[in-house]
Amino acid sequence: GAGVSQSPSNKVTEKGKDVELRCDPISGHTALYWYRQSLGQGLEFLIYFQGNSAPDKSGLPSDRFSAERTGGSVSTLTIQRTQQEDSAVYLCASSLSGPTEQYFGPGTRLTVT
Amino acid sequence: DQQVKQNSPSLSVQEGRISILNCDYTNSMFDYFLWYKKYPAEGPTFLISISSIKDKNEDGRFTVFLNKSAKHLSLHIVPSQPGDSAVYFCAAAPSGTYKYIFGTGTRLKVLA
């Protein structure tokens, strides 16, 4: 079956521009996560959606970052006024519900020049 | 403050031998642990998990050991195969929560 997909796979943007990253989770998975992996670092939790509950945004590094999940399925992570330190691989994962094994997408490599 | 540490950034092992990847944690509230494998340009894939009520979990060539008193877990791969060459991440969370804390990964290279 189809796994988690993310688009674009690569994004190069100029400092100060806004970017949108998209995640299509596995059908039927109610939990969706966004992580960020900077060079040489582990995966950093950003945000978590579970069903219709309010998302846990506690990992978002600044108010330039926001995410939404429409219809309990597709999610978009938006970074406004990008900075060079935002350069990283952004990974999306979904799971059947809550704290179970997560299935990751291939990631979006964001480069801010 | 790195709550989950993988102190070996890389490891090389001969094909057929055992690979041992280590992970240390500091938060005593962690009681569910997972290992993921990541190939270049792909997302991590789940390998094996263990909860704190166990000290060992086995799945084929992969075994995870948990030493709660030492706050240490390890992943054993035996026999190692060239296709096992990847980056391995351990992750930990308190029971029932979803905010997994990931280590920085260990790059395993299995030499043919």
Side-chain angles (χ1 to χ4, degrees), chain B residues 31-75:
Chain B
D31 60 5
Y32 191 65
F33 306 88
L34 306 95
W35 283 94
Y36 284 85
K37 176 169 75 173
K38 185 182 186 301
Y39 294 118
E42 295 182 13
T45 54
F46 170 75
L47 263 181
I48 192 168
S49 64
I50 189 167
S51 74
S52 60
I53 61 172
K54 292 185 168 184
D55 54 18
K56 177 182 174 181
N57 190 25
E58 195 171 351
D59 184 1
R61 297 186 298 114
F62 301 91
T63 303
V64 56
F65 295 91
L66 176 62
N67 182 333
K68 290 182 288 292
S69 61
K71 294 191 181 69
H72 176 83
L73 66 156
S74 59
L75 175 68

Side-chain angles (χ1 to χ4, degrees), chain A residues 82-98:
Chain A
T82 51
Q83 304 293 313
Q84 287 186 330
E85 61 262 30
D86 300 334
S87 296
V89 176
Y90 288 81
L91 290 156
C92 173
S94 70
S95 66
L96 208 52
S97 67

Side-chain angles (χ1 to χ4, degrees), chain A residues 23-55:
Chain A
C23 172
D24 283 87
I26 293 173
S27 177
H29 280 192
T30 60
L32 187 145
Y33 309 74
W34 282 99
Y35 292 89
R36 175 170 74 174
Q37 186 181 16
S38 303
L39 195 63
Q41 302 297 313
L43 278 68
E44 175 190 4
F45 168 83
L46 296 178
I47 189 169
Y48 165 76
F49 295 90
Q50 172 62 60
N52 295 322
S53 303

Side-chain angles (χ1 to χ4, degrees), chain B:
Chain B
D1 177 26
Q2 194 73 25
Q3 295 188 64
V4 177
K5 300 177 186 178
Q6 294 178 257
N7 291 318
S8 297
S10 64
L11 174 69
S12 290
V13 171
Q14 206 66 36
E15 181 179 8
R17 306 295 283 267
I18 185 170
S19 296
I20 300 176
L21 298 109
N22 293 305
C23 180
D24 296 290
Y25 61 97
T26 57
N27 189 339
S28 57
M29 297 301 291
F30 289 154
D31 60 5
Y32 191 65
F33 306 88
L34 306 95
W35 283 94
Y36 284 85
K37 176 169 75 173
K38 185 182 186 301
Y39 294 118
E42 295 182 13
T45 54
F46 170 75
L47 263 181
I48 192 168
S49 64
I50 189 167
S51 74
S52 60
I53 61 172
K54 292 185 168 184
D55 54 18
K56 177 182 174 181
N57 190 25
E58 195 171 351
D59 184 1
R61 297 186 298 114
F62 301 91
T63 303
V64 56
F65 295 91
L66 176 62
N67 182 333
K68 290 182 288 292
S69 61
K71 294 191 181 69
H72 176 83
L73 66 156
S74 59
L75 175 68
H76 293 209
I77 307 173
V78 57
S80 301
Q81 299 172 354
D84 296 330
S85 297
V87 177
Y88 289 78
F89 291 96
C90 65
S95 176
T97 71
Y98 47 81
K99 289 170 79 168
Y100 293 103
I101 306 297
F102 283 77
T104 52
T106 296
R107 183 178 300 279
L108 173 66
K109 188 170 184 180
V110 180
L111 307 168

